[in-house]
Amino acid sequence: MSSLYVENFQIGYIFVANIIASLLTFIVLSPNYIYLNWKFDFGLWKRMMRYGLPIMIAGIAFAINEQFDKILLGKLLPSYVAEAEVGVYSACYKLGLFMVLYRTAYTLGIEPFFFSHASNENAPQTYATITKYFVIFGSFILLSVIVFADLIKYIMIRDASYWEAMKVVPLIILANFFLGIYTNLSVWYKLIDKTYIGAYISIIGAVVTLVLNFLLIPSMSYYGSAIATIAAYGSMMLISYYFGNKYYPIPYEIKKISGYLLLSIAFSVISFYGFRENYIVGISLLILFLYFIYHNEKETLNRILKRKSN
């Protein structure tokens, strides 16, 4: 292994690792290509382009939402502070990882499920139930990470000089949660082959990101970037809900979903901005939130427990 080592190659190894992983995947799957019927189906190609191109545009807009805040921080702030501000913001942004992992794992598993159940008569009700429980678990993760953020930072952000940006952590976690809810709410335009609407929504999110970053960074630095991120994903979530209700109505339990979301946000604000690092208050709020979940979902939980006992 030492003969393969290249000094100071650093992040280059990440790219090499990705190339090797992709190559191995291709090699493993290559026998399947032998059995393909090699014929160009123009009709299928047109349907794929009509479905896929808007998703590609949405992906570009998503990249703007994810990355341009750091780029614009470096461009819009004075040069003598830009590098430091980007550094502390990027470091504390990592604490949103828990919500990103939850959202990503959920998305990878749920989209095939949505498509496989699209023809079922009770599909809308199933989608509504899944979204409710996504919000319940996500709200709990949101509150848990924010309550223990100042302990987690010792593991994920070892350099104390980066901790000055911790104040944006709740906004970043909430923004990623909004993106997860948007993923749930956006399934309708994929099911009815109106992916172009998804592209429009993503473009609106990208515009919100760019405009607010340009307006807020000069006066608020990375705090302005965090506000822009949460505004972009929040607007995408609300727009998707509005148009979804119009084109593919799903009977979401809006009162319950809003209740879980707003209560977790309120408890997060109290814990982080009112009683930060007071874990007696933070854990008490977590327990209270769990009780709120049990009180509202006890019938479902009791049915699950009875089924398991049988």
Side-chain angles (χ1 to χ4, degrees):
M1 291 296 290
S2 62
S3 64
L4 297 175
Y5 177 71
V6 179
E7 192 174 356
N8 295 323
F9 197 44
Q10 298 174 342
I11 62 170
Y13 283 113
I14 298 173
F15 292 98
V16 171
N18 283 327
I19 290 171
I20 294 172
S22 298
L23 178 62
L24 289 175
T25 303
F26 174 75
I27 292 171
V28 169
L29 295 174
S30 58
N32 294 289
Y33 294 109
I34 299 171
Y35 303 105
L36 288 177
N37 182 14
W38 292 94
K39 182 181 71 173
F40 187 79
D41 188 330
F42 186 74
L44 176 61
W45 177 81
K46 281 180 65 178
R47 292 200 303 274
M48 290 172 66
M49 290 299 104
R50 190 165 57 247
Y51 183 89
L53 281 175
I55 292 178
M56 184 188 75
I57 294 169
I60 294 170
F62 174 75
I64 291 173
N65 291 335
E66 281 289 288
Q67 302 300 332
F68 264 60
D69 52 353
K70 290 97 173 168
I71 295 171
L72 292 174
L73 267 175
K75 299 291 184 183
L76 298 177
L77 290 175
S79 57
Y80 61 90
V81 297
E83 187 175 347
E85 297 289 273
V86 172
V88 297
Y89 178 63
S90 299
C92 290
Y93 201 99
K94 290 192 297 184
L95 289 181
L97 174 68
F98 297 95
M99 189 61 75
V100 172
L101 288 174
Y102 171 62
R103 187 195 79 222
T104 304
Y106 172 85
T107 302
L108 289 174
I110 206 62
E111 286 210 350
F113 175 85
F114 282 154
F115 282 105
S116 66
H117 283 69
S119 59
N120 291 357
E121 188 178 340
N122 63 341
Q125 183 60 54
T126 302
Y127 300 157
T129 302
I130 289 172
T131 299
K132 183 181 75 170
Y133 285 104
F134 174 84
V135 172
I136 289 173
F137 285 112
S139 297
F140 179 71
I141 292 171
L142 169 74
L143 181 56
S144 299
V145 175
I146 290 174
V147 165
F148 296 109
D150 285 293
L151 292 177
I152 298 170
K153 73 184 180 185
Y154 288 103
I155 301 170
M156 299 187 67
I157 312 170
R158 303 254 176 126
D159 190 337
S161 63
Y162 290 118
W163 295 350
E164 66 175 79
M166 282 294 294
K167 62 184 178 180
V168 303
V169 167
L171 298 182
I172 297 303
I173 298 171
L174 183 58
N176 278 288
F177 190 23
F178 281 169
L179 180 58
I181 298 173
Y182 165 72
T183 301
N184 268 282
L185 299 178
S186 66
V187 67
W188 61 269
Y189 65 71
K190 297 176 184 176
L191 293 175
I192 62 174
D193 284 347
K194 291 187 181 292
T195 52
Y196 64 89
I197 297 179
Y200 293 150
I201 294 172
S202 296
I203 289 169
I204 291 172
V207 170
V208 171
T209 294
L210 293 173
V211 170
L212 288 182
N213 271 294
F214 274 106
L215 291 176
L216 299 178
I217 284 177
S219 59
M220 302 177 72
S221 186
Y222 51 74
Y223 204 77
S225 292
I227 292 172
T229 302
I230 200 170
Y233 291 144
S235 62
M236 289 167 63
M237 175 183 70
L238 294 173
I239 293 169
S240 183
Y241 172 73
Y242 173 79
F243 283 104
N245 214 29
K246 182 177 179 181
Y247 289 104
Y248 191 91
I250 294 175
Y252 296 114
E253 295 182 61
I254 293 299
K255 287 185 178 180
K256 279 192 174 183
I257 289 173
S258 300
Y260 292 123
L261 180 59
L262 293 175
L263 187 63
S264 66
I265 292 172
F267 282 179
S268 297
V269 170
I270 293 169
S271 175
F272 193 85
Y273 296 106
F275 297 90
R276 187 170 170 182
E277 295 191 78
N278 185 332
Y279 296 107
I280 294 175
V281 173
I283 293 170
S284 298
L285 290 173
L286 265 174
I287 293 170
L288 188 58
F289 186 68
L290 285 172
Y291 175 76
F292 180 75
I293 294 172
Y294 173 75
H295 178 74
N296 284 280
E297 305 297 328
K298 58 185 174 184
E299 290 184 12
T300 304
L301 292 172
N302 288 333
R303 279 201 307 270
I304 292 171
L305 292 173
K306 284 180 181 178
R307 191 183 305 162
K308 285 187 176 182
S309 63
N310 293 332

